[in-house]
Amino acid sequence: MIETIVFDVGETITRDDRYWALWADWLGVPRHTLSALVGAVVAQGRDNAEALRLVRPGIDVAAEYHARDEAGRGEDLCEDDLYDDVRPALSALREAGVRVVVAGNQTARAAELLRALDLPADLIVTSGEWGVAKPQPEFFRRVIEVAEAPADRILYVGDHPANDVHPAKAAGLRTAHLRRGPWGHLWADDPQTVAAADWRIDSLMDLVNIVR
C-alpha cells in the first residue's frame, strides 16, 4: 500500500529545456550546442553541470549563477515548464488519499518558484533548502521524515537511475523509474535500473493505477 508519493523535479515535474536555453544565452553559445553537450555528459554518466565547463573551462558555476541573478536573468519557472501530466496526476493522487511531496535536487529559489505555481502537492522542498542532495543517504532520510509514512509505503518517482532509483531503493523506499528526459530514455532498459525499479512508467498518470 502506497501512502505517500515523492516526486523528483527536473525532467519529472518540470522540463529542463528552457533551463539550459537560458544558460546557453548567458554563455553566448547556440542553444543546440549546449543541449548536445548536456546529452554527451549524461551519456558518460557525468554531472550535467560538466556541460557548462566544456563550454567555458574553469567556470565557477555558483558565481555565474549569482551573476545571472544580479543581471535580472536568473532562475525562472512558469506554467509552461510543467509537463502536461503533472497537475492531473498530482490532483488525482491526492483525491485518492495519497500524500504528495515534491523533493528534488534544486535550489532554494527553485522551491520558491515551484510553490508559486500552486501545485496540487502537500509539500515542496529542495536540496538547496535541506543542505543535502541526492544521491546522499541523508537526502532520503529527510524524504522519509517529510513523507510521514513508513519507508516501504513511500514511492519515489524520478527519471535518473543514479540519483533517484538506486539511492531511494537503498533507503528502503519503493521506486518508479520515469521514461522522460535524457536520463529516463537513456537508461530505460538498463538491466540494473530495471531490477531496482518497482515500476517503470511513461507518464505520471500511470501512478494513479498503481495506487489503486
Side-chain angles (χ1 to χ4, degrees):
M1 181 179 184
I2 302 299
E3 297 181 11
T4 302
I5 296 184
V6 185
F7 294 86
D8 170 45
V9 180
E11 291 303 335
T12 297
I13 296 292
T14 61
R15 301 165 55 101
D16 281 350
D17 46 345
R18 195 163 71 93
Y19 173 85
W20 291 112
L22 292 174
W23 266 114
D25 294 347
W26 176 256
L27 296 175
V29 297
R31 293 180 174 186
H32 173 71
T33 297
L34 185 56
S35 178
L37 290 173
V38 170
V41 298
V42 166
Q44 295 169 6
R46 299 159 64 190
D47 186 275
N48 52 21
E50 291 300 314
L52 301 178
R53 297 184 177 95
L54 290 173
V55 170
R56 185 180 292 177
I59 186 175
D60 183 331
V61 176
E64 288 296 325
Y65 180 94
H66 180 70
R68 281 180 54 192
D69 196 51
E70 289 292 306
R73 297 170 63 182
E75 193 168 4
D76 186 32
L77 281 173
C78 67
E79 188 70 23
D80 290 343
D81 295 312
L82 298 176
Y83 276 100
D84 292 340
D85 57 358
V86 171
R87 289 193 182 277
L90 270 58
S91 295
L93 291 169
R94 293 184 79 187
E95 290 171 6
V98 175
R99 178 171 171 80
V100 173
V101 175
V102 176
N105 278 358
Q106 302 287 329
T107 63
R109 171 61 177 161
E112 296 174 359
L113 294 169
L114 285 166
R115 293 184 192 116
L117 292 176
D118 195 25
L119 294 172
D122 296 286
L123 179 68
I124 297 173
V125 290
T126 64
S127 60
E129 295 176 308
W130 279 348
V132 62
K134 299 180 293 183
Q136 296 178 51
E138 178 59 26
F139 180 94
F140 290 94
R141 284 193 284 270
R142 300 291 291 272
V143 164
I144 293 170
E145 290 175 5
V146 301
E148 300 181 0
D152 62 357
R153 296 191 176 188
I154 302 167
L155 174 58
Y156 194 86
V157 182
D159 62 299
H160 198 306
N163 281 353
D164 301 326
V165 178
H166 295 299
K169 191 75 169 182
L173 281 62
R174 310 295 295 278
T175 60
H177 182 237
L178 176 62
R179 186 185 176 95
R180 174 176 287 175
W183 297 270
H185 287 287
L186 183 62
W187 283 295
D189 298 317
D190 172 69
Q192 292 183 331
T193 302
V194 172
D198 293 289
W199 292 278
R200 299 162 67 209
I201 61 176
D202 294 309
S203 166
L204 298 185
M205 290 302 296
D206 295 339
L207 299 168
V208 179
N209 291 329
I210 288 172
V211 299
R212 287 174 178 169

